[in-house]
Amino acid sequence: MTEVNRSWRLAARPQGMIKDSDFTWHEEPLPAELGPGQILVETLYLSVDPTQRIWMERDSYLPAVGIGEVMRAGGVGRVVRSSLPGFSPGDLVYGMTGWQTHAVIEPSIRGPRKLPDGVPPTMAVSLLGLTGLTAYFGLLDVGSLKDGETVVVSGAAGATGNAVGQIAKIKGCRVVGIAGGPEKCAWIKDELGFDAAIDYKAEDVYKRLGELCPNGIDVYFDNVGGLILEAALSYIALRGRVVLCGSIGDYNNAEAAYGPNNLMNLVLKRGRMEGFIVTDYAARFGDAIGDLARWAAEGRIKDRVDVVEGLSNAPAALRRLFTGANTGKQLVKVAAG
Amino acid sequence: MTEVNRSWRLAARPQGMIKDSDFTWHEEPLPAELGPGQILVETLYLSVDPTQRIWMERDSYLPAVGIGEVMRAGGVGRVVRSSLPGFSPGDLVYGMTGWQTHAVIEPSIRGPRKLPDGVPPTMAVSLLGLTGLTAYFGLLDVGSLKDGETVVVSGAAGATGNAVGQIAKIKGCRVVGIAGGPEKCAWIKDELGFDAAIDYKAEDVYKRLGELCPNGIDVYFDNVGGLILEAALSYIALRGRVVLCGSIGDYNNAEAAYGPNNLMNLVLKRGRMEGFIVTDYAARFGDAIGDLARWAAEGRIKDRVDVVEGLSNAPAALRRLFTGANTGKQLVKVAAG
């Protein structure tokens, strides 16, 4: 075990696409001792999420990361030292490690949580982390999903999107995924069992949605915003629900893009569009993780991770989300487990 | 009583702003006899509503008005003949009279309903008609209004908007209305008791909303769409609700305008945007009319109507909605009561 903590600290608010120079690399000794209720964790994997772009930029549902502070991120790691009852050296935990090799963590709504036995560390920051929970609560609670409905999800080969589609299939729904490129489309259709896939880079999304959803869209789970949201709204079914998870297409635009021109469809169809933040459901995380872990164990849901090696590559890994480079959940591997 | 029915029939789907030539004037004898369950009504006042523009144009939550059919509209009239049990000549009724001096009406979700004793005919097609009901269910049910919240309503000097603001005041809320011109603003503030008014023709709506809603907007009741919707979304409070009633600014545009560029605020604030059609609440109309009539009788809510004289002016009356000419509920007076 090294005695040095290495970290990326925020150096500048991002302008347009994230740059390496938005961060600075720091090295410093590990803390000599922990305060009461703290654990020191060696980071194994970092969760890479679109919302981190928001955290870099401005106050939102969380305060912005301060300039000079370690970049905020969820991660999974191994406890090195502990003064927190119930946590011992060697335990695998999920928590807000940030972009650093070693993190001092205190209890909060965001962790630390010990991993259930037998769960691989990567799954704790993917299907059983905020990613899978976002899919679960967004689809089932915000989307009020009912068996047999037609579900459309964008960003369908992304971390949240692929879980949304798989959960909808478990719930007996017809699922259409929208993703970029033939490989991603083949993966969600052939490997994950989506009923259909639309390649937004090659196909007319509006036209294809009309063909694939002749009875309209009951739940549209939106990860991208923009013209794809507009296309989905065109086919919203009576009392359809649009779950707004985030508009990845917009996060790096200096000027916000125009929104959908057909919100009137929400009136005519008595539709609902609703946003959410997954940590609002923290009191129910235990039950949801139980469902997700069981589905994974039964082979009914697959958890694919897309791993970039090395903390030094964390800025590049974050950029991958916004260029559509990742398939499945983007992670950074910081250390061997 | 004349033996002739005069009517406006739809001649063309509207292109841009409604024209007189979208309709043709017909005269024909009254029906010699009624079928079972029918009433013949002499129209007194017609309700003039933005949604009628949609009925002219296309199938929506109702089928489009057919070319050659009498233009669809709600109205209030006096029963001339009846073969419907419970309805007698002389009764004042609300129903779908259409743009004609005499209408044969059969029971449906949209009437006929007898007016409560003492209710002026104009109020039956305004506060106690679908207009007031739209305000009532939109604000209280779709908007889930809670006492003490901050409510913003656009089209605030229009039929639905002024009722929304007055109901919100009755419910103990702080109310900001957005309307066009100093007279309308003075009316909603000084006569109706809104806490503040924003003149969108003279003021920066975005800036003024920020000043007037320092704790955010809990319920935004949208009658106009476009940039005013976008401005309101900028200030949506945590778990705020946007009630989509219709986007009057867009109905006459050949190309739909862009939508709001800040739907991401619905994610960050866990906000909800929902559309509705008031007739979905028909089973509860009786209770709602009871509340509205009581508030009117107590002087707690005022019902202002803006009357255009003569069926021949119905097309012009409908255009007034889209040029912002009306204050309060737009009606056409067809015959003296």
Side-chain angles (χ1 to χ4, degrees):
Chain A
M1 187 188 93
T2 174
E3 292 300 295
V4 173
N5 179 34
R6 299 175 179 83
S7 63
W8 278 113
R9 289 168 180 264
L10 190 64
R13 303 282 167 217
Q15 304 284 328
M17 185 57 80
I18 294 156
K19 296 184 289 293
D20 283 8
S21 61
D22 294 335
F23 307 93
T24 49
W25 180 262
H26 282 251
E27 302 197 359
E28 62 194 350
L30 292 186
E33 55 188 63
L34 295 174
Q38 293 183 330
I39 56 175
L40 176 68
V41 172
E42 183 185 13
T43 308
L44 302 180
Y45 291 93
L46 291 171
S47 179
V48 182
D49 304 291
T51 196
Q52 292 167 353
R53 174 67 169 71
I54 299 174
W55 298 346
M56 292 174 66
E57 185 172 322
R58 62 184 195 276
D59 294 336
S60 61
Y61 61 101
L62 287 180
V65 177
I67 299 294
E69 290 181 3
V70 174
M71 177 59 194
R72 183 189 295 142
V76 64
R78 191 176 294 282
V79 176
V80 178
R81 283 183 263 153
S82 173
S83 62
L84 179 63
F87 290 78
S88 307
D91 286 348
L92 285 171
V93 296
Y94 170 86
M96 297 305 285
T97 58
W99 284 12
Q100 54 188 345
T101 58
H102 297 76
V104 174
I105 301 178
E106 300 181 337
S108 81
I109 194 176
R110 288 163 198 277
R113 289 193 302 271
K114 284 205 273 191
L115 270 55
D117 287 342
V119 166
T122 55
M123 193 180 281
V125 275
S126 180
L127 181 66
L128 305 187
L130 294 181
T131 297
L133 292 165
T134 296
Y136 183 98
F137 289 105
L139 184 66
L140 302 181
D141 274 69
V142 184
S144 303
L145 188 72
K146 297 187 236 337
D147 289 0
E149 290 191 320
T150 294
V151 175
V152 173
V153 56
S154 55
T160 302
N162 88 73
V164 165
Q166 294 185 83
I167 296 169
K169 286 307 299 175
I170 289 169
K171 295 292 183 181
C173 292
R174 173 173 166 74
V175 179
V176 176
I178 304 170
E183 292 81 6
K184 289 180 176 179
C185 287
W187 176 57
I188 61 176
K189 193 162 181 302
D190 301 336
E191 298 291 320
L192 302 187
F194 284 43
D195 296 285
I198 300 174
D199 178 358
Y200 74 84
K201 292 182 176 176
E203 299 185 276
D204 180 332
V205 174
Y206 176 83
K207 180 163 165 288
R208 289 285 290 150
L209 280 176
E211 292 164 358
L212 290 167
C213 305
N215 299 317
I217 300 169
D218 296 301
V219 176
Y220 170 59
F221 194 107
D222 180 55
N223 288 308
V224 301
L227 290 172
I228 291 179
L229 170 58
E230 186 172 291
L233 277 168
S234 296
Y235 299 107
I236 196 78
L238 191 66
R239 301 188 202 291
R241 289 82 69 199
V242 176
V243 180
L244 295 178
C245 186
S247 301
I248 201 168
D250 294 337
Y251 288 10
N252 290 281
N253 294 335
E255 301 236 339
Y258 288 111
N261 68 5
N262 52 359
L263 292 177
M264 190 66 198
N265 277 2
L266 292 178
V267 179
L268 300 177
K269 297 294 187 178
R270 300 77 152 164
R272 185 179 79 198
M273 179 181 283
E274 190 163 358
F276 74 110
I277 298 290
V278 68
T279 43
D280 292 347
Y281 296 88
R284 294 167 53 201
F285 278 1
D287 288 345
I289 290 171
D291 282 345
L292 293 164
R294 180 167 43 81
W295 292 331
E298 293 169 355
R300 303 176 73 190
I301 189 165
K302 294 175 184 171
D303 186 39
R304 175 165 172 174
V305 295
D306 190 330
V307 179
V308 164
E309 295 277 337
L311 178 64
S312 60
N313 291 315
L318 184 51
R319 275 194 298 272
R320 285 171 58 84
L321 298 178
F322 300 103
T323 58
N326 63 303
T327 299
K329 172 70 181 186
Q330 182 68 58
L331 299 179
V332 172
K333 183 174 182 180
V334 179
Chain B
M1 187 188 92
T2 173
E3 291 301 295
V4 174
N5 180 34
R6 299 174 179 86
S7 63
W8 280 113
R9 289 168 182 263
L10 190 64
R13 304 281 168 216
Q15 304 284 329
M17 184 57 81
I18 295 156
K19 298 184 288 294
D20 283 7
S21 60
D22 294 335
F23 307 92
T24 48
W25 181 263
H26 281 252
E27 302 198 358
E28 63 194 349
L30 292 187
E33 54 189 63
L34 296 175
Q38 293 184 330
I39 56 175
L40 177 68
V41 172
E42 183 184 13
T43 309
L44 302 180
Y45 290 92
L46 292 171
S47 179
V48 182
D49 305 289
T51 196
Q52 292 166 353
R53 173 67 169 72
I54 299 174
W55 297 345
M56 292 173 66
E57 185 172 323
R58 63 183 196 276
D59 293 336
S60 60
Y61 60 101
L62 288 179
V65 177
I67 298 294
E69 289 180 3
V70 174
M71 177 59 194
R72 183 189 295 142
V76 64
R78 191 175 294 281
V79 176
V80 178
R81 284 185 264 152
S82 174
S83 63
L84 179 62
F87 289 79
S88 307
D91 286 347
L92 285 171
V93 296
Y94 170 85
M96 297 306 286
T97 57
W99 284 11
Q100 55 188 345
T101 58
H102 296 76
V104 174
I105 301 178
E106 300 181 336
S108 81
I109 195 175
R110 290 163 196 277
R113 289 193 301 272
K114 283 205 274 192
L115 271 56
D117 288 341
V119 166
T122 55
M123 192 179 282
V125 274
S126 180
L127 181 65
L128 305 187
L130 294 182
T131 297
L133 292 165
T134 296
Y136 184 97
F137 288 104
L139 184 65
L140 302 181
D141 275 68
V142 184
S144 304
L145 189 71
K146 295 187 239 334
D147 289 1
E149 290 191 321
T150 295
V151 175
V152 172
V153 56
S154 55
T160 303
N162 88 73
V164 166
Q166 293 186 84
I167 296 169
K169 286 307 299 175
I170 289 170
K171 294 293 183 181
C173 292
R174 173 173 167 74
V175 179
V176 176
I178 305 171
E183 293 80 7
K184 289 180 177 180
C185 287
W187 177 56
I188 61 176
K189 193 162 180 300
D190 301 339
E191 299 291 319
L192 303 187
F194 284 42
D195 296 285
I198 301 174
D199 178 356
Y200 74 85
K201 293 183 176 176
E203 299 185 275
D204 179 333
V205 174
Y206 176 84
K207 180 163 166 287
R208 289 285 289 148
L209 280 177
E211 292 164 357
L212 290 167
C213 306
N215 299 318
I217 299 168
D218 296 301
V219 175
Y220 170 59
F221 194 105
D222 181 53
N223 287 308
V224 302
L227 289 173
I228 291 179
L229 170 58
E230 185 172 290
L233 277 169
S234 296
Y235 299 106
I236 196 77
L238 191 67
R239 300 187 204 289
R241 289 83 68 200
V242 175
V243 180
L244 294 179
C245 186
S247 301
I248 201 168
D250 293 337
Y251 288 9
N252 289 281
N253 294 335
E255 301 236 340
Y258 288 111
N261 68 4
N262 52 0
L263 292 177
M264 190 65 198
N265 276 2
L266 293 178
V267 180
L268 300 176
K269 297 293 188 180
R270 299 79 151 165
R272 185 179 78 200
M273 180 182 283
E274 190 164 356
F276 73 109
I277 297 290
V278 68
T279 43
D280 292 345
Y281 296 87
R284 294 167 54 200
F285 279 1
D287 288 346
I289 290 171
D291 281 345
L292 292 164
R294 180 166 43 82
W295 292 331
E298 293 169 353
R300 302 176 74 191
I301 189 165
K302 294 176 183 171
D303 186 40
R304 176 165 171 175
V305 295
D306 189 331
V307 178
V308 164
E309 295 277 339
L311 179 65
S312 60
N313 292 315
L318 184 51
R319 276 195 296 273
R320 286 171 58 82
L321 297 178
F322 301 103
T323 57
N326 63 303
T327 298
K329 172 70 182 186
Q330 182 68 59
L331 299 178
V332 172
K333 184 174 182 178
V334 179

